[in-house]
Amino acid sequence: MTRDAGLEELIREELGDRAGLSEKAMFGGWAYLLHGNLLLGAREGSLLVRLGKGNDGWALALPDIELMVMNGRSMHGWVRAGADAYGDDALRKRLLDGAITFVETLPPK
């Protein structure tokens, strides 16, 4: 998969100039980290969101959002949102806010 410049710009606009935020290439796409902890990942047609174990049920109940699976292993606490989900401004904001809320509970790296 390739990077998605449009999705990356939407994420940057939403996250703003938050302290501790950084970006780097990862997983064949672009990753967003908060105080060194992975927050989000973006690539063509897909937004990876870190909500934390037990915090992802609400998102998984929505269309075009599924549990993240990497190398056949379910990654509980992580969801993958497709274009229909992350293309909805209110839902994308809710997903990003959920990720920030969880990742802010983690110790900085």
Side-chain angles (χ1 to χ4, degrees), residues 23-81:
E23 304 178 20
K24 69 179 186 177
M26 190 181 286
F27 307 124
W30 204 244
Y32 300 81
L33 297 92
L34 186 59
H35 302 292
N37 292 294
L38 186 57
L39 177 69
L40 304 164
R43 61 183 185 184
E44 187 176 19
S46 180
L47 173 64
L48 173 64
V49 184
R50 185 178 192 178
L51 297 173
K53 288 183 182 179
N55 299 326
D56 55 359
W58 67 268
L60 292 170
L62 299 172
D64 204 28
I65 297 180
E66 58 190 31
L67 183 64
M68 171 64 182
V69 177
M70 183 176 274
N71 297 325
R73 181 175 161 230
S74 297
M75 306 292 289
H76 296 281
W78 296 82
V79 299
R80 183 175 301 279

Side-chain angles (χ1 to χ4, degrees), residues 34 37 55 99-108:
L34 186 59
N37 292 294
N55 299 326
I100 292 165
T101 297
F102 173 70
V103 172
E104 284 180 335
T105 69
L106 302 174

